[in-house]
Amino acid sequence: MSINSFGHLFRVTTWGESHGPAIGATVDGCPPGVPVTEKVLQHWLDKRKPGQNKYTTQRREADAVRILSGTFEGVTTGTPVQLMIENTDQRSKDYSDIRDKFRPGHADITYFRKYGIRDYRGGGRSSARETASRVAAGGLAREAIKAIVPDLQITGYMVQMGPHTIDRDRFDWDQIERNPFWVPDANAAIKWADYLDSLRKSGSSVGAVIEVTARNVPAGLGAPVYGKLDTDLAAAMMSINAVKGVEIGEGMSAAMLTGELNADEIRMGPGGPEFSSNHAGGVLGGISTGQDVVVRFAVKPTSSILTPRKTITRTGEETEIITKGRHDPCVGIRAVPVGEAMMACVLLDHLLLHRGQVGGNRGVIG
Amino acid sequence: MSINSFGHLFRVTTWGESHGPAIGATVDGCPPGVPVTEKVLQHWLDKRKPGQNKYTTQRREADAVRILSGTFEGVTTGTPVQLMIENTDQRSKDYSDIRDKFRPGHADITYFRKYGIRDYRGGGRSSARETASRVAAGGLAREAIKAIVPDLQITGYMVQMGPHTIDRDRFDWDQIERNPFWVPDANAAIKWADYLDSLRKSGSSVGAVIEVTARNVPAGLGAPVYGKLDTDLAAAMMSINAVKGVEIGEGMSAAMLTGELNADEIRMGPGGPEFSSNHAGGVLGGISTGQDVVVRFAVKPTSSILTPRKTITRTGEETEIITKGRHDPCVGIRAVPVGEAMMACVLLDHLLLHRGQVGGNRGVIG
Amino acid sequence: MSINSFGHLFRVTTWGESHGPAIGATVDGCPPGVPVTEKVLQHWLDKRKPGQNKYTTQRREADAVRILSGTFEGVTTGTPVQLMIENTDQRSKDYSDIRDKFRPGHADITYFRKYGIRDYRGGGRSSARETASRVAAGGLAREAIKAIVPDLQITGYMVQMGPHTIDRDRFDWDQIERNPFWVPDANAAIKWADYLDSLRKSGSSVGAVIEVTARNVPAGLGAPVYGKLDTDLAAAMMSINAVKGVEIGEGMSAAMLTGELNADEIRMGPGGPEFSSNHAGGVLGGISTGQDVVVRFAVKPTSSILTPRKTITRTGEETEIITKGRHDPCVGIRAVPVGEAMMACVLLDHLLLHRGQVGGNRGVIG
Amino acid sequence: MSINSFGHLFRVTTWGESHGPAIGATVDGCPPGVPVTEKVLQHWLDKRKPGQNKYTTQRREADAVRILSGTFEGVTTGTPVQLMIENTDQRSKDYSDIRDKFRPGHADITYFRKYGIRDYRGGGRSSARETASRVAAGGLAREAIKAIVPDLQITGYMVQMGPHTIDRDRFDWDQIERNPFWVPDANAAIKWADYLDSLRKSGSSVGAVIEVTARNVPAGLGAPVYGKLDTDLAAAMMSINAVKGVEIGEGMSAAMLTGELNADEIRMGPGGPEFSSNHAGGVLGGISTGQDVVVRFAVKPTSSILTPRKTITRTGEETEIITKGRHDPCVGIRAVPVGEAMMACVLLDHLLLHRGQVGGNRGVIG
C-alpha cells in the first residue's frame, strides 16, 4: 500500500507523476478565513522552479498552480483546497532508454519490485517533481500561519555542498536571496559557484546539507510522545527525495557533548523564559521551547550522472547505464524551498493541534 | 493535544508515567496466530532494565511485563494486546526538590507551558521510563516478524560514545553481547569503560550514537511518499527520548559524496538483484532494496548532572539546580534495545502493509 | 476542522464545490495492476448524472471524469489516482437570492456558524454535487474488487418513496435498470411515476429508502470492534447528503423480534457454512458471514421547495424563502448510484485490510 | 486486521476479553486540567453493571475501574489515561460446551473464519463485556465536556421494547431513573416489566430501541463531509454489540415526509437562531444546529436463548445448541448507558476539533 498523505489536522495529500497530465496537492483541514491567491502560491513555486540558472535542471515547466477548490472570493472556506499544476514539458521520449533498465541510486528497481509495474517516464511518482506539490501546499500553510502567528518566519538555506561548509561567523540572513545556492555566506557562494560549475561540466553531481530555521515559534507546540514536533519534522524532511539524514539543533554532534555543555540554561527575559544557548534546536521533550526551531537535512548527490554505472535489466541481465537528460548537479539547491514548505506544513499542523488544547497555557510562567 | 500512538497497521499506544501505578503498551493490529508469552517479552525488557551495572541508573525496577489481553492459550488472537508493567520502585520523595524548578535540557518547562500542569515526579510522561513500553511492544513485533520472515534479524549496537567511535575494521557481531555498551569492537569496549567510569564519578554525562541493522529484510517494504520506510524509521527513532539526529545508510555524510561514489551499482546474484555497496542503507525511494536496512541515531547526554545549572522557578524567579538522584552517565546504552524495538515495530508494520498489496510482486526480476 | 477523507487502506478524499472550477476525488491506496479507463468510470457517473429525465434536476453537467494520475498504460500503478470532473453548467446567478438567507433544511446556516464564511452558490461544499466524486471513486473501487473477487456484485435500488413501498414478493433484479427509479418491482414503478409527477408539478418533494445489496461477499471482512463492516457501512451511508437513518439486515425492526426469530440458523452447504435466513444482513460481530450484505438508508425530501418557508437572514432578520432553481422532487433517485459507490469503497477497503491478515483463514470449517 | 480505536482527537482504544485478566480503555487526547476520580467514573459503570435486577444477566462483576495513568493529584495532565477493569467473575467452565459449536446470531463463526482462532470463553472480544470499557471512557468524556460546556446534558432512555413503544405524550425526563428500563413513561415501565418477566421465564429474548438526546449542544460541531457529526454518531452507535439500525432525528421515517413538513423553519430567539421543529435531530449538513441532538438505535434480541437452534461444529458437522448461562432477556436495557457513553465521546471529540477551528464563529448571526 502507499501512503501519500501527511499531517494530523492540516492534512496534505500529494498526487501525480512526473510525466502525467498534472500533479497537485489536496489539502484538507486548512482553517477558514485565510486570504490566499494563486499569485501568492506561485511565488514559492517560482523559487523552486527548475531551469532558472545553469546549476539546476534545464527542464522548463511553467509550474503554474491553479486553485480548484476551497476558496471563495479570495479566502479559504474550511473545505479542501485542491492545488493543481499541469505538466507542460514532459518530453517522455527522453526516457525510453530507461524503460527496461534500473538506474542505480534511483527508485526504479524498488518501485518495480513493490508494485510489479512502474511508470518509468522520468521516475514517475518517485521523481523530485512531486516536491512542487509540497511547495504549493507549503505556500498555503505559510498564509495560514501568517493569520495565526504573524511574525513567525521560516527560512531555508544551504550550509554545506560536498566538502564545503559555510563559515558560521559570516552568517548573514540577507545573503540568502542574493545567490543561486541560498547560502547565507557571501564568500561561500563564490567558491561554490566554481566548484559546482566544474562538477556540472564533468557530468558528476554532489550532495548538500540544508538548514531550515523557524523564528518566533510559540512555546508549547508538539504532541508527545509520537507526534513530537521534532519527530514530525524528522519524518517530513526524511520524506523528501534523496534525503538521508535529519538533525534537530545539535544533531548528530550531540553525541560528542557532555551534559554540562548540552543543557541550555534558562533565565527570565522580558517576554518570558529565555535560554542561554540553543543546542536543543528549539525542542525539548518534543515540544517547542519558544526558541528558534532548527532542522538540518542531508541530500545525497543526484544519481543521474554521465559516468556509466553497472546495473541490470528488467529481465535480470547485467548491463551498464548512463543517465542523460536534464538533471541537477546538486539537487540540494532545489531542496531548499521544499524544506521550507515541509517546515511550514508541520508548524501549521501543530499550531492547529495546540489551538485545540483545552486548558493548556494556564500555567503561564512569571 | 497529544499523540501517543504510532504505526499504520501494527499500532502501538504507550501510556503511563514514571511514578504512576503502571506503564504499558496497547498494541492493536497484531496478527493472529503468533505464539507469545510473558517470558519471551521479558527477555527484551531485561536487556533494557536499569540497575544492571554501574553505567546505568541505579533505579531498581522488576520491569515485569504482564499480558492482559489479546492472547489465548499462548497465541495471539488478532485482538488488542495489552502489555502492562507495574512501577515498583517509585521513590517519589527524590523528586520533591524539582517540583517548582525546571531542569535545563529536560522537558519540564515545555510540558508545563503546553499543558499548564505536569507530573513532576521523575519527569512523568517525559521520563525515559516510557521506553520500557516500547521494548515490550517491540518484543511482540519480533515474534510476529519471526512468523512471517523467520530469518529477519534486528541488531542494535553503539558506534560512538562522546568523542570515541568504533573501528569499523574491527566490527564483530559476536562482541555486541559481551560488553555493557553493546559495542561490536572489543577494543572500544575496554576504552569506553574507563572513559565512562570517570564521567560517572565526576557526575557528568555524555552522548552516543547507536546503529540498528536489520538483515534479511525483503525488498518492497515502504509506503511512498509519506510512509516511506526511511521516513517511518526517522520518526520512530526521533521519537525516542533525547534523540537529536537520525541517519539512513550514508546519512549526513551523503552530502560529501559525488554521484559516482554514492550510487550503489546493481548486479544479479543467485537470489535476485544484489548491490556492490550500501550507501543507501537498504532503502531507495522509500522502499527496501533487500539489502541490510541501516539506521543510526544520536542521543544527547542526559541533562541530569551534578554541576549546578542556571534555571528559573515556576513563578519565574532565577535560581540554580543540581539534579541528584539515580541517573545514567550515558543514556545511549539503554537506548540500544529501544532502537531495536522501534526497528521491529516499523518493519512489522510495513510487512503487514505490504502483505495487503494486491497485485504486487508480479514483476519478479530475472 | 473538516475531514474530507474516508477509508482505512483504500482512502478517498473528495474535494470541490458545486460552483467552483471542478470537483474530484483523490484516491490513495488503490492496488496496482487494476485495469481502469475514463470510459469505465464514466458509466457510473452517467447513471448518477442529473437531467436525464423529468424526475431529476435539470442542471446539465457533462460530468466527464478525467484520470490525472495513478495509471500507466491503462493500469493502476499503486500511486494516488486523481479523478477530476470539471463543472460546466454553473449558472451561479441563480443563487444570488440565497446569498443572505439561510434555506431551512439546508446546511447554509450550519456552515456559516461553523466556518464564519460559506460559498453560498448552490450549497458550495454541502451540495449533493459532491456525490459525483464518490461515484467516480466507487467506479474505481468496483474495478479493483473485480480483480480480487470477480463475482462480487453490488446493486442498489429504491424500496420506498414517500408512503409507497415495494412488494417484496414481486422483487425482480431485472426490473431495476428498466425504470427511472431503480425500483425492483414493475408495478411500483408505474405507480411511483404518477405520484412523483404530481409532487413535481406542485413544487413539493418527498423522501425515500434505498437498499444496497452486495452478493458473493467473502466471509471474514470487518475489523472489530470500531472498524466493523457494518460500522463502516453505517458511516459511509450516513455521510451521504440528506441521509437520516441506516439499517443493516433487519434494521430498526430487529427491536420487534424475539431471539428465536432473529438468530439465523447455520447448516453446512456444499461450499461451506450456510444460513437459514439473513436477519443479520450478512454481518455478525462486525464481520461478514458470507451471506448477502444488505444495507438500507433513508433520504429526507429535498428541502428546496416552492412553498415559502420562514427563515432568517445573515444579520438575524426574520423573512421567508422560496427555493427556485433546478432541483429534484426525490433526491433519493440519484442517491442509488451513490449508495452503490459507498458500498464498493467500503468492501474494497475491507478486502484490502483482510488481505493483510497474516495467519487468518487458517481455521477453515468443514 | 482489527481496529480497536475510535475518535479523531479524543481517541479511545478498548482492549480485553470477556474472560481474560482484565479489560479497559486507553484514552489518548483527553484535555489537561479535567478533574476526574475513579469514584466519578464508577458511577457510570455501576449504571451499566449486570446483576442489578432480574432483567439483566446474573453475572456478578465488581466492575471496579482503576485509573493507571494520565492524572496527577486528581486532574488530567494531557497524557494518555489508562482505565482498567479487572475481570473477577469469569467462570470459564460455563463456556466449555460452546468451544466447538458456533452459536447462531453470535460472532463465534465470523471471528473463527476471520482469525482462524477465537477465545470462545464468553464470546471473548465480541462479548458485550467490552462495552464496560466504553462506559468508563464515556465517563471521562463527560467530565471533560463539563469543563468546556457545563450545561451540556446527555440522556439515554428506551423508547421501544419488542412491539411496545412509549407514548410520546407521556414523556417525562424524571421517570427515566425511576425504573429498571430507563423508560421516560411511567405507564410503559409497568407494562414492560410484565412483558419482560414472561420472556425471561420462557428463556426467550427481545430487541429494543434506545434514544439518546444531548441538550445544550453548541452549534457548529461536525467535520464535513466524512466526519459529520451524524456520521460519527452513526458509526459510534452501530459499533455497539447487537445494534442493527441508527437514526438521526426523523430517521427512517424521513422517507415518508414531504419537503414542507421536513424542513425545520428558522426564527430568531433571544440567544440566536431557533427552529420551529427538530426533524433534523439537531444536525444539518453534518454540523450541529444548536438544537437537541437526537439519535436512536435498535438492538437485536440476545441470541442466547433456551430454545435449541440448528448450527454446525468447528469441523462442519450439523448439530443443535442451547445457550445456557447468565444472559439478558433484553440487552437493550444495558445498552442505554453505552449509548450515552458513545454520545459523550463523539461530542467531546467534536468539541475538541471545533476548538481547533481557527477563524471560525466569526460570522455570528444577529
Side-chain angles (χ1 to χ4, degrees):
Chain A
M1 285 299 122
S2 298
I3 293 172
N4 291 277
S5 303
F6 72 95
H8 307 282
L9 289 181
F10 183 77
R11 196 149 175 81
V12 176
T13 306
T14 67
W15 54 271
E17 280 77 44
S18 175
H19 287 66
I23 62 171
T26 309
V27 184
D28 200 8
C30 186
V34 177
V36 66
T37 60
E38 289 168 354
K39 195 180 160 193
V40 160
L41 302 183
Q42 196 61 47
H43 170 76
W44 303 108
L45 281 158
D46 289 347
K47 183 169 177 181
R48 177 200 163 280
K49 199 164 65 176
Q52 303 198 105
N53 58 51
K54 62 185 172 183
Y55 307 113
T56 57
T57 173
Q58 294 309 300
R59 174 170 174 159
R60 298 200 177 280
E61 286 286 357
D63 270 4
V65 65
R66 285 189 64 201
I67 301 175
L68 295 184
S69 68
T71 64
F72 183 58
E73 299 176 347
V75 171
T76 60
T77 59
T79 62
V81 180
Q82 181 59 261
L83 304 171
M84 181 177 73
I85 302 160
E86 289 183 82
N87 288 328
T88 50
D89 180 17
Q90 304 174 11
R91 294 202 207 174
S92 58
K93 62 183 180 302
D94 283 356
Y95 293 96
S96 55
D97 56 330
I98 58 162
R99 177 178 175 160
D100 295 314
K101 289 181 183 179
F102 303 114
R103 294 169 297 169
H106 277 284
D108 300 347
I109 195 167
T110 50
Y111 268 69
F112 187 64
R113 293 196 79 177
K114 181 174 193 67
Y115 297 114
I117 181 175
R118 72 183 172 103
D119 180 347
Y120 52 79
R121 299 166 306 166
R125 180 72 182 149
S126 71
S127 166
R129 179 137 188 77
E130 184 268 342
T131 59
S133 303
R134 302 181 187 222
V135 170
L140 179 59
R142 280 176 185 268
E143 296 308 302
I145 288 172
K146 202 184 288 178
I148 305 170
V149 186
D151 59 350
L152 197 157
Q153 263 187 289
I154 295 166
T155 316
Y157 41 90
M158 288 184 75
V159 295
Q160 183 178 348
M161 177 188 283
H164 305 291
T165 58
I166 62 162
D167 179 349
R168 290 272 170 182
D169 292 334
R170 291 178 177 279
F171 194 105
D172 179 356
W173 293 103
D174 295 333
Q175 287 299 322
I176 295 170
E177 300 267 345
R178 294 189 190 148
N179 62 73
F181 311 114
W182 319 106
V183 58
D185 169 352
N187 275 27
I190 295 164
K191 285 186 209 154
W192 296 11
D194 288 344
Y195 172 69
L196 199 60
D197 217 30
S198 71
L199 268 181
R200 185 178 59 80
K201 283 173 187 158
S202 67
S204 184
S205 64
V206 77
V209 176
I210 287 92
E211 186 168 284
V212 184
T213 296
R215 288 172 281 176
N216 300 315
V217 175
L221 305 190
V225 297
Y226 298 109
K228 287 174 172 174
L229 185 59
D230 42 358
T231 298
D232 283 1
L233 285 170
M237 300 309 172
M238 193 64 95
S239 76
I240 301 172
N241 307 45
V243 172
K244 300 304 286 183
V246 183
E247 301 187 314
I248 306 290
E250 199 64 32
M252 299 303 291
S253 305
M256 283 184 286
L257 295 182
T258 60
E260 290 75 21
L261 287 170
N262 181 65
D264 308 309
E265 291 182 301
I266 314 176
R267 60 188 177 217
M268 274 308 284
E274 288 182 359
F275 297 83
S276 60
S277 52
N278 191 9
H279 296 289
V283 186
L284 282 175
I287 304 172
S288 62
T289 60
Q291 296 171 275
D292 289 356
V293 172
V294 183
V295 59
R296 269 184 310 287
F297 56 94
V299 178
K300 70 180 185 183
T302 179
S303 303
S304 299
I305 47 175
L306 291 184
T307 307
R309 308 300 295 162
K310 289 180 185 162
T311 190
I312 59 171
T313 66
R314 201 166 59 159
T315 49
E317 281 145 47
E318 300 195 340
T319 180
E320 287 203 336
I321 193 165
I322 295 172
T323 312
K324 296 170 202 156
R326 304 153 299 176
H327 295 288
D328 295 3
C330 179
V331 281
I333 300 172
R334 285 169 58 208
V336 172
V338 181
E340 289 178 333
M342 300 311 286
M343 173 70 92
C345 290
V346 170
L347 286 180
L348 174 59
D349 196 25
H350 280 279
L351 281 167
L352 298 177
L353 276 169
H354 193 59
R355 281 246 170 165
Q357 186 67 55
V358 179
N361 285 332
R362 297 176 315 152
V364 177
I365 294 156
Chain B
M1 285 301 122
S2 298
I3 294 171
N4 291 278
S5 302
F6 73 94
H8 306 283
L9 289 181
F10 183 76
R11 194 147 177 83
V12 176
T13 305
T14 67
W15 54 271
E17 280 77 44
S18 175
H19 287 65
I23 61 171
T26 309
V27 184
D28 200 9
C30 184
V34 176
V36 66
T37 60
E38 289 168 354
K39 195 180 161 192
V40 161
L41 301 183
Q42 196 61 48
H43 170 76
W44 303 109
L45 280 158
D46 289 347
K47 184 170 177 181
R48 176 199 164 280
K49 198 164 66 176
Q52 304 197 105
N53 58 52
K54 61 184 172 183
Y55 307 113
T56 56
T57 173
Q58 294 309 299
R59 174 170 174 159
R60 298 200 178 278
E61 287 286 358
D63 271 3
V65 65
R66 285 191 64 201
I67 301 176
L68 296 185
S69 67
T71 64
F72 183 59
E73 298 176 347
V75 171
T76 60
T77 60
T79 62
V81 180
Q82 181 58 261
L83 304 171
M84 182 175 73
I85 302 160
E86 288 183 82
N87 288 327
T88 51
D89 178 17
Q90 304 173 11
R91 292 201 208 177
S92 57
K93 61 179 181 304
D94 282 355
Y95 293 95
S96 56
D97 56 329
I98 58 162
R99 178 177 174 161
D100 294 314
K101 289 182 184 180
F102 303 113
R103 294 169 298 168
H106 276 284
D108 300 345
I109 194 166
T110 50
Y111 269 68
F112 187 63
R113 295 196 78 177
K114 182 176 191 67
Y115 297 115
I117 182 175
R118 72 185 171 99
D119 181 346
Y120 52 79
R121 299 167 305 166
R125 180 71 181 150
S126 70
S127 165
R129 179 137 188 78
E130 184 268 343
T131 59
S133 303
R134 303 182 186 221
V135 171
L140 179 59
R142 281 178 185 265
E143 296 308 301
I145 288 173
K146 203 183 288 179
I148 305 170
V149 186
D151 59 350
L152 197 156
Q153 264 188 288
I154 295 166
T155 317
Y157 41 89
M158 287 184 76
V159 295
Q160 183 178 347
M161 176 188 285
H164 305 291
T165 58
I166 62 163
D167 180 349
R168 291 271 171 183
D169 292 335
R170 291 177 176 279
F171 193 106
D172 180 356
W173 294 103
D174 295 334
Q175 287 299 322
I176 295 171
E177 301 266 347
R178 293 188 191 148
N179 61 73
F181 311 114
W182 318 106
V183 58
D185 168 352
N187 275 27
I190 294 164
K191 284 185 209 156
W192 296 11
D194 288 342
Y195 172 69
L196 200 59
D197 217 29
S198 71
L199 268 180
R200 185 178 58 81
K201 284 172 185 161
S202 68
S204 184
S205 64
V206 77
V209 177
I210 287 93
E211 186 169 284
V212 183
T213 295
R215 290 171 281 176
N216 300 317
V217 175
L221 305 191
V225 297
Y226 298 109
K228 289 174 170 174
L229 185 59
D230 41 0
T231 298
D232 282 1
L233 285 170
M237 300 309 172
M238 193 64 94
S239 76
I240 301 172
N241 306 47
V243 171
K244 301 303 287 183
V246 182
E247 302 187 314
I248 305 290
E250 200 64 32
M252 298 304 292
S253 305
M256 284 185 284
L257 295 181
T258 61
E260 291 75 20
L261 287 170
N262 181 66
D264 307 310
E265 291 182 302
I266 314 174
R267 61 188 177 216
M268 274 308 283
E274 289 180 0
F275 296 83
S276 60
S277 51
N278 191 10
H279 297 288
V283 185
L284 283 175
I287 304 171
S288 63
T289 60
Q291 296 170 275
D292 288 356
V293 172
V294 182
V295 59
R296 266 184 312 286
F297 57 94
V299 178
K300 71 179 185 184
T302 178
S303 303
S304 299
I305 47 175
L306 291 184
T307 306
R309 308 299 295 161
K310 290 180 186 161
T311 190
I312 58 172
T313 66
R314 202 167 58 160
T315 49
E317 280 143 48
E318 301 196 337
T319 181
E320 288 204 334
I321 194 164
I322 295 172
T323 313
K324 296 170 202 157
R326 303 152 302 177
H327 296 287
D328 296 4
C330 180
V331 281
I333 300 171
R334 286 168 57 208
V336 172
V338 182
E340 290 178 332
M342 298 312 287
M343 173 70 92
C345 290
V346 170
L347 287 179
L348 174 59
D349 196 26
H350 280 280
L351 281 167
L352 297 177
L353 277 169
H354 193 59
R355 280 247 169 164
Q357 186 66 56
V358 179
N361 284 332
R362 297 174 318 149
V364 178
I365 295 156
Chain C
M1 284 301 121
S2 299
I3 294 172
N4 290 278
S5 302
F6 72 95
H8 306 284
L9 289 180
F10 183 75
R11 195 148 176 82
V12 176
T13 305
T14 67
W15 54 271
E17 279 79 42
S18 176
H19 286 66
I23 62 171
T26 309
V27 184
D28 200 9
C30 185
V34 177
V36 66
T37 60
E38 289 167 355
K39 196 181 161 192
V40 162
L41 301 183
Q42 196 61 48
H43 171 76
W44 303 107
L45 280 158
D46 289 348
K47 184 170 177 180
R48 177 200 163 280
K49 198 165 65 177
Q52 303 198 103
N53 58 50
K54 62 184 172 184
Y55 306 113
T56 58
T57 173
Q58 295 308 301
R59 174 170 175 157
R60 298 199 178 279
E61 287 286 357
D63 271 3
V65 65
R66 285 190 63 201
I67 300 175
L68 295 185
S69 67
T71 63
F72 183 59
E73 298 176 347
V75 171
T76 59
T77 59
T79 62
V81 181
Q82 181 59 260
L83 304 170
M84 182 177 72
I85 303 160
E86 289 183 81
N87 288 327
T88 51
D89 180 17
Q90 305 173 10
R91 293 202 209 174
S92 56
K93 62 181 180 304
D94 283 357
Y95 293 95
S96 56
D97 56 330
I98 58 162
R99 177 176 174 161
D100 295 313
K101 289 182 183 179
F102 303 113
R103 293 168 298 168
H106 277 284
D108 299 347
I109 194 167
T110 50
Y111 269 68
F112 187 63
R113 293 196 79 177
K114 182 176 192 67
Y115 298 115
I117 182 174
R118 71 184 174 102
D119 181 346
Y120 52 79
R121 299 167 306 166
R125 180 71 181 148
S126 71
S127 166
R129 179 137 189 78
E130 184 269 343
T131 59
S133 303
R134 301 181 187 223
V135 171
L140 178 59
R142 281 177 184 268
E143 296 308 302
I145 288 172
K146 201 184 289 179
I148 305 170
V149 186
D151 59 350
L152 196 156
Q153 265 186 288
I154 295 165
T155 317
Y157 41 90
M158 286 183 77
V159 295
Q160 183 178 347
M161 177 189 283
H164 305 292
T165 58
I166 63 164
D167 180 348
R168 291 271 171 183
D169 291 335
R170 291 178 177 278
F171 194 105
D172 180 356
W173 294 103
D174 295 333
Q175 287 299 323
I176 294 170
E177 301 266 347
R178 294 190 190 147
N179 60 73
F181 312 113
W182 319 105
V183 59
D185 168 352
N187 276 26
I190 295 163
K191 283 185 210 155
W192 295 11
D194 288 342
Y195 172 68
L196 199 59
D197 218 28
S198 70
L199 268 181
R200 185 178 59 81
K201 284 173 186 158
S202 68
S204 185
S205 65
V206 77
V209 177
I210 287 92
E211 186 169 284
V212 183
T213 296
R215 290 172 280 176
N216 300 316
V217 175
L221 305 190
V225 296
Y226 298 108
K228 287 174 170 174
L229 185 58
D230 41 359
T231 298
D232 283 1
L233 284 170
M237 300 310 172
M238 192 63 94
S239 76
I240 301 172
N241 307 46
V243 171
K244 301 304 287 183
V246 182
E247 302 187 314
I248 305 290
E250 200 64 32
M252 297 304 291
S253 306
M256 283 184 285
L257 295 181
T258 60
E260 291 74 21
L261 286 170
N262 180 66
D264 309 310
E265 292 182 301
I266 314 175
R267 59 188 178 219
M268 275 309 283
E274 287 181 0
F275 296 82
S276 61
S277 51
N278 191 10
H279 296 288
V283 185
L284 281 175
I287 304 172
S288 62
T289 60
Q291 295 170 277
D292 288 356
V293 172
V294 183
V295 59
R296 267 183 312 286
F297 57 94
V299 178
K300 71 179 185 184
T302 178
S303 303
S304 300
I305 48 175
L306 291 184
T307 307
R309 308 300 295 160
K310 289 180 187 161
T311 191
I312 58 171
T313 65
R314 202 166 56 159
T315 49
E317 280 144 46
E318 300 196 337
T319 180
E320 288 204 334
I321 193 164
I322 296 171
T323 312
K324 297 170 202 158
R326 304 152 300 177
H327 296 287
D328 295 5
C330 179
V331 281
I333 300 173
R334 286 169 57 208
V336 172
V338 182
E340 290 178 331
M342 298 312 286
M343 174 70 92
C345 290
V346 170
L347 286 180
L348 174 59
D349 197 26
H350 280 279
L351 281 167
L352 298 178
L353 276 169
H354 193 60
R355 280 245 170 167
Q357 187 65 57
V358 179
N361 284 331
R362 297 175 318 151
V364 178
I365 295 156
Chain D
M1 285 302 122
S2 298
I3 292 172
N4 290 279
S5 303
F6 73 95
H8 306 284
L9 289 181
F10 184 76
R11 196 149 175 82
V12 176
T13 305
T14 67
W15 54 271
E17 279 79 42
S18 176
H19 286 66
I23 62 170
T26 309
V27 184
D28 199 8
C30 186
V34 177
V36 66
T37 61
E38 288 168 355
K39 195 181 160 191
V40 162
L41 301 183
Q42 196 62 48
H43 169 76
W44 303 108
L45 281 158
D46 288 347
K47 184 169 177 182
R48 177 200 162 278
K49 199 165 64 177
Q52 303 197 102
N53 57 52
K54 62 185 173 183
Y55 306 114
T56 56
T57 172
Q58 295 309 299
R59 173 171 176 158
R60 298 201 178 278
E61 286 287 357
D63 270 3
V65 65
R66 284 189 64 201
I67 301 175
L68 295 184
S69 67
T71 63
F72 183 58
E73 298 176 346
V75 171
T76 60
T77 59
T79 61
V81 180
Q82 181 60 259
L83 304 170
M84 182 175 73
I85 302 160
E86 289 183 83
N87 288 327
T88 52
D89 180 17
Q90 304 174 12
R91 292 202 208 176
S92 58
K93 63 181 180 303
D94 283 356
Y95 293 96
S96 55
D97 56 328
I98 57 163
R99 177 177 175 161
D100 294 314
K101 289 182 182 179
F102 303 113
R103 293 168 298 169
H106 277 284
D108 299 347
I109 194 167
T110 51
Y111 269 68
F112 187 63
R113 294 196 77 179
K114 182 174 192 70
Y115 298 114
I117 181 175
R118 73 183 171 102
D119 180 346
Y120 52 79
R121 299 166 306 166
R125 180 71 183 151
S126 71
S127 166
R129 179 138 188 77
E130 184 269 340
T131 60
S133 303
R134 302 182 187 223
V135 172
L140 179 59
R142 280 177 186 266
E143 296 308 302
I145 289 172
K146 201 183 290 178
I148 305 171
V149 186
D151 60 349
L152 198 156
Q153 265 187 288
I154 296 166
T155 317
Y157 41 90
M158 287 185 74
V159 295
Q160 183 178 347
M161 177 190 283
H164 306 292
T165 58
I166 63 163
D167 179 347
R168 291 271 170 183
D169 293 334
R170 291 177 176 278
F171 193 107
D172 180 355
W173 294 103
D174 295 333
Q175 288 299 322
I176 295 172
E177 301 267 346
R178 294 190 190 147
N179 61 74
F181 312 113
W182 318 105
V183 59
D185 168 352
N187 276 26
I190 296 163
K191 284 186 209 153
W192 296 12
D194 288 343
Y195 173 68
L196 200 59
D197 217 29
S198 71
L199 268 181
R200 185 177 59 82
K201 284 172 186 159
S202 68
S204 185
S205 64
V206 76
V209 177
I210 287 92
E211 186 168 284
V212 183
T213 296
R215 289 172 280 176
N216 300 315
V217 175
L221 305 190
V225 299
Y226 297 110
K228 287 174 172 173
L229 185 58
D230 42 358
T231 298
D232 283 1
L233 285 170
M237 301 309 173
M238 193 65 94
S239 76
I240 301 172
N241 307 45
V243 172
K244 300 305 288 182
V246 183
E247 301 187 314
I248 306 289
E250 200 63 33
M252 298 304 291
S253 306
M256 283 184 285
L257 295 181
T258 60
E260 291 76 20
L261 287 170
N262 181 66
D264 308 310
E265 291 181 301
I266 314 175
R267 60 189 176 215
M268 273 310 282
E274 288 181 359
F275 297 83
S276 61
S277 51
N278 190 11
H279 296 288
V283 185
L284 282 176
I287 304 172
S288 62
T289 60
Q291 296 170 275
D292 288 357
V293 172
V294 183
V295 60
R296 266 184 312 287
F297 57 93
V299 178
K300 70 179 187 184
T302 179
S303 303
S304 300
I305 47 175
L306 291 183
T307 307
R309 309 298 295 161
K310 289 180 187 163
T311 190
I312 58 172
T313 66
R314 201 166 59 158
T315 49
E317 281 144 46
E318 300 195 337
T319 180
E320 287 203 335
I321 193 164
I322 296 172
T323 312
K324 295 170 203 157
R326 304 153 301 177
H327 295 287
D328 295 1
C330 180
V331 281
I333 300 172
R334 285 169 57 207
V336 172
V338 182
E340 290 178 331
M342 299 312 287
M343 174 70 92
C345 289
V346 170
L347 286 180
L348 174 59
D349 197 25
H350 280 280
L351 280 167
L352 297 177
L353 276 169
H354 193 58
R355 279 245 169 165
Q357 186 65 56
V358 179
N361 284 331
R362 296 176 318 151
V364 177
I365 294 155

